[in-house]
Amino acid sequence: MNPVRYFVPFAAVRQQPTIVVDSVGLGAALTLAHWRGAATPGPLRDDTSAGSCLRALHHPATSGLEAQAVTANHFDVDGFVGVWALLNPALALRHEMLLRRVATLGDFRELDWADPLADTALQLVCWLNAEEKARFYEPFGAPARRRREDEASAEKFAWFLPRFAEVLENPAAGRAAWGPEYARVKAAVAVAQGPGTQRTGYADVGLVVVRTPGPLPYYALFGPTAGLDWVLSLYDGQRYELECKYTTWIDLESRSTLPRLALGPLAARLNALETSGQIWVADGPTDTGPLLRLAGPRKLSKAQRYADPDGRPIYASSIAPAAMEQEVLAFLRAGYANIQPKKYWTWAEVKATGA
């Protein structure tokens, strides 16, 4: 008999046997997370935390799965889908393939637009995004409201958990919420798939270079980048961003990866070439999505960096596009010269490579 599970705030993790999703915590009866070094059982490892939860539902004898309480220390699409699946196992397994795509799109921004489930996955993610922002706060927005994410996110779970099933089974029920972002992303996908956009992949360093007229929403920009971990966006007007995807912050199960590289040396090299008066800056390698870009008058917050590129200013560089591409490629090839891809990098190993 399957246990009847319920959600508890993260602070209550040790008050009863608790399954911890997309997080790590002392005293967990079972951890189902793709975080680096998380104690997820080997047979349940997956690219997404939701994927691990779905795998667990196929292995009901897993030690710890008998726990009724479920928690997470933050709210995002992947973590929410994982928690919801554990609380609604029959419905989750019925929609497993769709939920896997929702989690992947939510966390990695990757989606094969030729997939028959792609449109529905996008609708569900847009519904979660829209309702989250309208009713609560944007991702990484808790600190600006002087709140702790592990506490504030419990309110999001309380609202979404009883409502998600209706939209999952009938996405049209949530059209009023998901419609605007869905339309914006689909328009951007048309641009990304059009003649004005070109992609060049450098598989040896996990880089894809995207040349496109202007900044795009992440779901359009990163959608077709599965298997690659660096994205260099070259926009008209010599505007550029380089981003290291979230795929190298977590433990991917499906493929090997190269470790992250610290972007400081590349920023220094670009600053030596830059004559616009702007300064190249980069986030550290332990950021969930390190970004290299020309700084503006104000430093971007984490919430702004996580939000779509078409919603933030991107400044013109004096460096020509071809030169920018070659500088990034040379930096990555030098950094990875004696490194082989593998699974399950530790942060200590990442730092030992020069990050």
Side-chain angles (χ1 to χ4, degrees), residues 98 120 123-124 127 166-176 178:
L98 175 57
T120 307
Q123 291 165 7
L124 292 173
W127 180 78
E166 179 187 6
V167 182
L168 174 64
E169 297 218 278
N170 178 25
R175 183 184 298 273
W178 58 251

Side-chain angles (χ1 to χ4, degrees), residues 152-322:
S153 61
E155 299 168 9
K156 296 183 181 182
F157 280 100
W159 192 89
F160 279 103
L161 284 169
R163 292 172 172 85
F164 182 63
E166 179 187 6
V167 182
L168 174 64
E169 297 218 278
N170 178 25
R175 183 184 298 273
W178 58 251
E181 185 183 12
Y182 173 84
R184 184 171 69 92
V185 172
K186 291 292 284 186
V189 169
V191 172
Q193 294 177 339
T197 298
Q198 294 85 39
R199 291 181 195 82
T200 304
Y202 298 96
D204 60 316
V205 291
L207 170 70
V208 60
V209 179
V210 182
R211 299 170 188 80
T212 195
L216 301 171
Y218 273 121
Y219 300 149
L221 181 66
F222 282 14
T225 66
L228 299 165
D229 301 307
W230 294 93
V231 180
L232 173 61
S233 303
L234 304 178
Y235 303 121
D236 288 354
Q238 298 191 177
R239 296 171 296 154
Y240 317 126
E241 286 189 330
L242 173 68
E243 185 160 351
C244 185
K245 290 167 56 182
Y246 185 60
T247 45
T248 54
W249 192 88
I250 51 88
D251 280 334
L252 274 184
E253 169 60 24
S254 63
R255 63 179 174 89
S256 298
T257 62
L258 289 163
R260 291 181 162 189
L261 299 177
L263 292 170
L266 177 57
R269 167 63 180 167
L270 295 175
N271 281 325
L273 300 174
E274 188 65 50
T275 61
S276 69
Q278 305 276 17
I279 302 297
W280 287 94
V281 296
D283 304 305
T286 58
D287 189 274
T288 55
L291 194 61
L292 173 83
R293 66 193 305 274
L294 279 174
R298 290 186 177 182
K299 182 179 179 180
L300 295 182
S301 68
K302 176 61 179 177
Q304 290 172 314
R305 288 187 285 111
Y306 181 83
D308 287 323
D310 61 345
R312 58 180 175 247
I314 300 177
Y315 302 98
S317 169
S318 64
I319 302 170

Side-chain angles (χ1 to χ4, degrees), residues 2-3 5 53-54 57-58 83-97 99 165 168-169:
N2 291 326
R5 300 190 184 95
C53 294
L54 289 162
L57 296 180
H58 289 288
V83 170
W84 183 89
L86 292 176
L87 271 58
N88 300 271
L91 195 53
L93 290 175
R94 192 187 315 160
H95 294 280
E96 178 173 1
M97 300 314 296
L99 293 174
L168 174 64
E169 297 218 278

Side-chain angles (χ1 to χ4, degrees), residues 336-350:
Y336 292 139
N338 298 305
I339 300 174
Q340 294 299 314
K342 70 167 193 167
K343 293 183 180 180
Y344 311 131
W345 291 91
T346 66
W347 283 117
E349 289 173 328
V350 172

